[in-house]
Amino acid sequence: MKPMYSAAFAAMIVAAAVTATTRDAAWSAEKKYGPGVSDSEIKIGQTIAYSGPASSFGTTGHTISAYYRMVNDRGGINGRKINFISADDGYSPPKTVEQTRRLVEQEQVLSIV
């Protein structure tokens, strides 16, 4: 017994294949990336308490920064260097919001750690 496919099912398969092919061709031709990413750089941000009552957490920030420097020394990620921007929030929620907003809006980081 042969399986029977409807015309609608066949049309969906063809449409999906055409869309995937078109999308892949356009993606490789444009080389447009989101904020914080270029052909040579990836921007990552962080807010952490380097000062204030919880300044001992600043050690974690320095450790993360050292890790990204090591990754850059080894060639980066697919040839892209990591631009790690770390901001002191002083363990203060209003300052954390301010620094996070600055990272996103002014520095245009890809992500926040």
Side-chain angles (χ1 to χ4, degrees), residues 57-94:
F57 291 136
T59 305
T60 303
H62 292 299
T63 304
I64 293 170
S65 181
Y67 175 77
Y68 288 133
R69 280 194 307 272
M70 179 203 63
V71 169
N72 285 339
D73 290 344
R74 293 182 178 181
I77 299 173
N78 290 332
R80 293 181 174 117
K81 299 292 183 175
I82 297 173
N83 181 359
F84 183 63
I85 304 166
S86 185
D88 181 18
D89 64 12
Y91 201 66
S92 168

Side-chain angles (χ1 to χ4, degrees), residues 15-61:
V18 168
T19 301
T21 305
T22 305
R23 183 196 66 215
D24 290 342
W27 177 260
S28 62
E30 288 180 17
K31 291 238 179 188
K32 272 190 160 180
Y33 305 110
V37 180
S38 69
D39 286 332
S40 61
E41 178 182 71
I42 300 171
K43 281 188 181 180
I44 298 176
Q46 164 188 297
T47 61
I48 197 161
Y50 288 114
S51 62
S55 61
S56 62
F57 291 136
T59 305
T60 303

